Amino acid sequence: MTRRVAVIGGGSSGLASIKTCLDEGLQPVCFESSDDIGGLWKFKENPEADRASIYQSVIINTSKEVMCFSDFPIPAHYPNYMHNSLIVDYFRMFADRFQLTRHIRFNTKVLQVKQRSDFSRSGQWDVETENKDGEKEKHIFDAVMICIGHHCHPNLPLHDFPGIDSFTGKFFHSRDYKTADEWRHKKAVVIGIGNSGGDIAVELSRVTKQLYLSTRRGAWILNRVGNYGLPLDMEFNRLVDSLKSILPHNLFCGLVESQLNQRFDHALYNLKPKHRMFSQHPTVNDELPNRILSGTVQVKPNIRRFQGSSVEFDDGSVVEDVDLVVFATGYRFSFPFLASHVVSVSENKASLYKYVFPPELDRPTLAIIGLVQPLGAIMPISEMQARWATRVFKGELLLPTASSPQIRRIQRHTIQVDYISYMDEIAELVGVRPSLPRLLLTDPRLGLNLMFGPCTPYQYRLRGPGKWAGARQAIFTQWERVARPMQTRPCHDPKPERSLKWLLVVAAAAVVLFINKCLLN
């Protein structure tokens, strides 16, 4: 009999999971509580309870070649950094191409996921759902994939802000922010300097009388636009990843921090954090330094207290007549339909084997997909996790036993991962990690692209289960798809040719640059 798999959530992770189930001959049934696919990226004017919600102007921080599903490149004419509406369009193309929507039950909420009485033998789950009419239904599944992400439950720590109850202006979590229109000529404070906090601060600063950005720790700020105007994440390659693992942590962080400070001095802009570059997640924001330089954004420390319409900061400074406070203070993740002993979550920490499998289950038939925060794209990681999980469900791959040293060494962790090393780690388990030594000997052009070019998802379709015949060509044409959306007027200057010689020159220059910087430091 075909194994039935419940997929909870119809966002990017859910779509990847449905497709991977179909690829592996499993029968997926996806339960999506809203009326459409897209998850986080589906903009709605009115936020819905227990669901992710974005503001109207959101543009993704990862470029299209790095964020796409590994056997379905984003159309060449799409911009490199896409607006949320285009991301949903791409998801719809992906769903149509692989006929995924027929496996989704929309407007259906999952109420409970519970192990069956014979779970230690069958590994099966009882799943209870409720549709929009309030009708409840019980199902039996052989496996479950939870794909709800970690942006559902806003973290609003009002207890840390004395006097907030007396504040006469308006305050809300960044989840409830949609547009800047109503705050024209007002004073606003944004608390938090993550990606949402930075974006909202920049957007509000274009219309407000003054915008204050409050941050306790500061942040390292990355640009979307990298060297020569290329997408920054297309510069992340296996050479850089290797140097990161070889060089001492502080040295490597110092090299990158020096590069960032050449763009703007983080200390001069009151943004320099105490932590090193790779100790916490950086913020991606091209415009924040410009807004600070123009004075429309003022960087402030943590808030000490509220009093009426005034806000006092830890440095003793006070801002009067504040109209709006936006709490860009992150999210809490949880699984309310799941018993706590199955996956225990405390302060955004959970024990999961390689961020996917609860280690204490008798049978590995439950997988958490997409519960990571990479410096890079989440979509390919979710897809890779799903490829691993479905093969585990089938018995093609085995997990260590609960008593094995690998499982016992699991520590409670946050959800941040390094994109390349984590993708390679899971790909190795699936049997799809590219063999660079072999490729350098048998297909040197491809091998050099993998070593010195961007780590795009197509690399994980070159071999093994799920091999895609178009992967090699997709790698060779990825730079053409980067250039295509920017070629919007005739330009008669000679176009540079991307060739093997170019790759070798860039690689040699990168090695020399790193060595020189190491010697100077």
Side-chain angles (χ1 to χ4, degrees), residues 463-475:
R463 58 183 287 262
K467 178 180 178 180
W468 174 44
R472 186 175 184 273
Q473 183 63 17
I475 292 169

Side-chain angles (χ1 to χ4, degrees), residues 58-60 67 74 78-84 86-87 90:
V58 168
I59 292 174
I60 198 166
M67 65 158 274
I74 293 172
Y78 272 43
N80 285 283
Y81 290 103
M82 299 192 295
H83 184 263
N84 58 81
L86 292 178
I87 295 172
Y90 169 65

Side-chain angles (χ1 to χ4, degrees), residues 51 68 114-115 118 134 198 218 245 282-283 342 346 362 387 401 407 414 435 445 453 456 469 473-474 476 482 521:
R51 287 186 55 79
C68 68
K114 183 180 179 181
Q115 294 162 284
D118 64 346
S245 62
T283 296
V342 178
S346 176
D362 294 331
R387 293 172 72 182
T401 62
I407 294 292
T414 57
S435 174
R445 183 186 173 205
T456 45
Q473 183 63 17
F476 289 146
V482 169
N521 284 273

Side-chain angles (χ1 to χ4, degrees), residues 352-372:
L352 295 169
Y353 180 58
K354 298 192 183 298
Y355 298 86
V356 176
F357 287 100
E360 302 297 333
L361 291 180
D362 294 331
R363 305 276 295 213
T365 56
L366 177 76
I368 313 295
I369 306 298
L371 189 65
V372 292

Side-chain angles (χ1 to χ4, degrees), residues 444-449 452 497-507:
R445 183 186 173 205
L446 180 60
L448 289 169
N449 265 279
F452 302 119
E497 295 183 2
R498 296 191 178 276
S499 64
L500 179 60
K501 179 181 177 181
W502 182 89
L503 285 171
L504 290 172
V505 169
V506 170

Side-chain angles (χ1 to χ4, degrees), residues 170-174 177 189-192 200 204 324-328:
K170 188 173 182 180
F171 69 87
F172 49 72
H173 191 271
S174 58
Y177 173 81
V189 176
V190 174
I191 301 173
I200 293 171
L204 281 170
L324 168 68
V325 176
V326 179
F327 286 84

Side-chain angles (χ1 to χ4, degrees), residues 501-520:
K501 179 181 177 181
W502 182 89
L503 285 171
L504 290 172
V505 169
V506 170
V511 172
V512 170
L513 178 63
F514 272 104
I515 292 173
N516 286 341
K517 287 193 174 183
C518 292
L519 293 174
L520 290 174

Side-chain angles (χ1 to χ4, degrees), residues 47-204:
E48 300 172 356
D50 300 326
R51 287 186 55 79
S53 182
I54 56 173
Y55 37 101
Q56 192 173 56
S57 62
V58 168
I59 292 174
I60 198 166
N61 287 329
T62 51
S63 67
K64 66 178 182 180
E65 289 300 299
V66 176
M67 65 158 274
C68 68
F69 296 115
S70 59
D71 57 356
F72 193 72
I74 293 172
H77 66 279
Y78 272 43
N80 285 283
Y81 290 103
M82 299 192 295
H83 184 263
N84 58 81
S85 59
L86 292 178
I87 295 172
V88 175
D89 286 347
Y90 169 65
F91 289 163
R92 213 174 301 286
M93 283 185 265
F94 179 71
D96 290 344
R97 168 65 179 81
F98 298 105
Q99 300 183 3
L100 307 181
T101 310
R102 65 174 63 178
H103 302 281
I104 304 176
R105 298 190 184 184
F106 292 107
N107 297 304
T108 304
K109 182 179 180 180
V110 173
L111 302 177
Q112 187 177 53
V113 176
K114 183 180 179 181
Q115 294 162 284
R116 304 208 79 207
S117 57
D118 64 346
F119 179 81
S120 59
R121 178 184 61 81
S122 68
Q124 291 182 324
W125 300 83
D126 286 320
V127 177
E128 184 179 9
T129 61
E130 181 180 34
N131 65 19
K132 63 180 180 180
D133 299 321
E135 299 170 341
K136 296 181 180 179
E137 190 176 357
K138 293 185 177 180
H139 319 259
I140 298 173
F141 286 98
D142 299 293
V144 176
M145 304 175 83
I146 299 176
C147 310
I148 62 173
H150 51 90
H151 293 95
C152 294
H153 309 292
N155 177 43
L156 196 60
L158 299 182
H159 58 276
D160 292 335
F161 296 89
I164 186 65
D165 292 337
S166 72
F167 180 57
T168 56
K170 188 173 182 180
F171 69 87
F172 49 72
H173 191 271
S174 58
R175 176 181 181 273
D176 297 311
Y177 173 81
K178 295 301 171 186
T179 67
D181 298 342
E182 65 178 293
W183 304 107
R184 190 172 299 276
H185 308 309
K186 306 288 187 180
K187 286 186 182 179
V189 176
V190 174
I191 301 173
I193 197 172
N195 288 328
S196 294
D199 280 352
I200 293 171
V202 165
E203 183 165 291
L204 281 170

